[in-house]
Structure formats: structure tokens, C-alpha cells
């Protein structure tokens, strides 16, 4: 089955700086890669996703890049703000699979 | 439109007791999932369902049973609770299964003493 590794497990960034979280996956058939954000005590919520037919996707201060050859994808947050503090999860699945495999999460702390 | 609702939100059990977690969704989604979340281990899939009357095992199914008698409800049962099942449980639903957004419930915190 799919295995997703996520690094780092914790990340502290000065407000206004950029944050990068990286994930690798094992199944070359995977073609859908979402990122979820979970604020303290809340439910995970989708913030951005990318499919294997594109290499990069942006949504305001958030971007995701995908390298299918190397089997890794990354989340980039620019101009970080205090409300970006949360746990972020990457995930992967292939189109024929009914389920997502999640990474172990990254706790991002934005330092004011 | 309440989305995905889980009950109860908190529960304390003694080892060996049984209980059922209820997940209800009002979005007419076909796919429903039960995950457990433990520190440093992310979200791990317990069981899932691709439609009414169907269930399938996920990554960590042992010690749990599920039922999907109605499309809008997905029940997670613990027949004989163990301390290792202390966790936060999240239910999620999805209209099409793969390659789509998961809508999560608020979570249920279970402690087994």
C-alpha cells in the first residue's frame, strides 16, 4: 500500500517569513495530493490539492509543488501570519483507490 | 446543513467496556470513513464505506467494527475497549471517493482507563 512520509514534524517560522513542508510517497500510481490544515482542537480542513497532471498550484499565499519523478510534493506558505499556526497534513491516493493515506503531520508555529 | 456530526464528543471507558460512535452526514455523500488520530502518527484509517450496506477495512481495523445500514450514518463500535484505543476519532465523508475533498466531523475524544 501507499506510504507517505512528512518532514519536518515541527517548524517554527518568524511572522512574515516563508514555510515549506515536504512529503514523499511510495506508490507511483498515486495521482492526487491534498493538504489539510488542523487548528488546535478543530477538525482537519482541505486547504489546497494538486493532481498529477500539473506541477504547481497556487492559491494566494499557499502553493503546492509536485515532482512525480522523485515522488515528492511540498507545501509553501509565504508571508506567514499568526493564523497560519496549525498542524498540516499531506496525503496521497491514486484514482482507483477509495482512500487517502496521510502523512504524520507538521506542527507549524508562527512567531510574532 | 450540519455537514458531518459525531456523537458523543467525549467519552471515558473502562477496559473491557463496549461503546458505539455515531457519525451522521446530511450531504448525501456515498463514501464515509473512520480515522483515529494519535500524537505523531497522523490520521490512520480504521474502516470505510463506499455506500449503504458496504464496509471495508482500512489500515488499523483490529478491535473495531462498523456498520452502514443507512446512507447518512456510519457507526464505529468497540466491543471490548483497550487502553491502546485511547485516541481522537474523526469521521469523514466524500461525495465521490478518491480524488476529492474529505469533510470531517469535529472529532470524538475517547479515553480508555
Amino acid at each position: 500500500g501507499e506510504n507517505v512520509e512528512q518532514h519536518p514534524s515541527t517548524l517554527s517560522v518568524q511572522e512574515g517569513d516563508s514555510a515549506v513542508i515536504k512529503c514523499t510517497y511510495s506508490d507511483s500510481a498515486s495521482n492526487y495530493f491534498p493538504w489539510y490544515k488542523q487548528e488546535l482542537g478543530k477538525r482537519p480542513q482541505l486547504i489546497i490539492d494538486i493532481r498529477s497532471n500539473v506541477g504547481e498550484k497556487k492559491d494566494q499565499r499557499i502553493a503546492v509543488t509536485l515532482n512525480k519523478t522523485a515522488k515528492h510534493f511540498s507545501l509553501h506558505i509565504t508571508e506567514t501570519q499568526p493564523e497560519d499556526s496549525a498542524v498540516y497534513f499531506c496525503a496521497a491516493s491514486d484514482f482507483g483507490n477509495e482512500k487517502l493515506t496521510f502523512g504524520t503531520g507538521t506542527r507549524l508555529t508562527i512567531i510574532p | 446543513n450540519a455537514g458531518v456530526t459525531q456523537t458523543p464528543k467525549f467519552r471515558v471507558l473502562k477496559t473491557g467496556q463496549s461503546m458505539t460512535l455515531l457519525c451522521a452526514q446530511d450531504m448525501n455523500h456515498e463514501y464515509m470513513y473512520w480515522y483515529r488520530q494519535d500524537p505523531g502518527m497522523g490520521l490512520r484509517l480504521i474502516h470505510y464505506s463506499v455506500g449503504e450496506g458496504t464496509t471495508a477495512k482500512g489500515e488499523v481495523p483490529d478491535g473495531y467494527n462498523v456498520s452502514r445500514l443507512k446512507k447518512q450514518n456510519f457507526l464505529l463500535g468497540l466491543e471490548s475497549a483497550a487502553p491502546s484505543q485511547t485516541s481522537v476519532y474523526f469521521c469523514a465523508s466524500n461525495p465521490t471517493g478518491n480524488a476529492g475533498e474529505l469533510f470531517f466531523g469535529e472529532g470524538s475524544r475517547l479515553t480508555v482507563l
Side-chain angles (χ1 to χ4, degrees), chain A residues 30-103:
Chain A
S30 289
N31 58 7
Y32 175 64
F33 308 93
W35 287 87
Y36 285 79
K37 175 183 180 181
Q38 185 180 28
E39 296 177 356
L40 187 62
K42 301 291 182 64
R43 71 190 83 190
Q45 291 188 298
L46 179 71
I47 55 171
I48 195 168
D49 57 13
I50 191 168
R51 299 174 193 275
S52 61
N53 56 344
V54 297
E56 183 176 3
K57 183 177 179 180
K58 289 183 179 180
D59 183 3
Q60 300 183 337
R61 297 185 297 106
I62 294 173
V64 57
T65 59
L66 171 64
N67 183 328
K68 286 219 73 178
T69 303
K71 290 193 282 188
H72 66 70
F73 56 112
S74 300
L75 178 71
H76 305 254
I77 306 174
T78 59
E79 301 174 5
T80 53
Q81 301 171 2
E83 54 264 37
D84 295 329
S85 292
V87 177
Y88 292 81
F89 293 98
C90 63
S93 81
D94 68 80
F95 191 75
N97 198 340
E98 296 105 357
K99 52 190 185 292
L100 284 174
T101 300
F102 284 87

Side-chain angles (χ1 to χ4, degrees), chain B residues 19-93:
Chain B
M19 74 157 296
T20 300
L21 295 173
L22 171 63
C23 177
Q25 52 96 3
D26 60 2
M27 298 175 283
N28 201 35
H29 287 173
E30 289 292 337
Y31 294 76
M32 297 187 74
Y33 307 82
W34 275 108
Y35 287 90
R36 60 177 289 174
Q37 183 175 30
D38 303 290
M41 303 190 77
L43 292 156
R44 293 183 293 168
L45 183 63
I46 305 170
H47 286 281
Y48 65 103
S49 168
V50 302
E52 182 178 317
T54 73
T55 63
K57 294 181 179 179
E59 182 185 354
V60 288
D62 294 343
Y64 305 95
N65 57 75
V66 288
S67 64
R68 183 100 182 268
L69 299 179
K70 294 183 179 180
K71 184 177 183 179
Q72 63 268 33
N73 295 337
F74 194 29
L75 280 64
L76 178 70
L78 285 72
E79 291 185 346
S80 180
S84 60
Q85 294 178 304
T86 293
S87 187
V88 179
Y89 292 85
F90 284 96
C91 176
S93 71

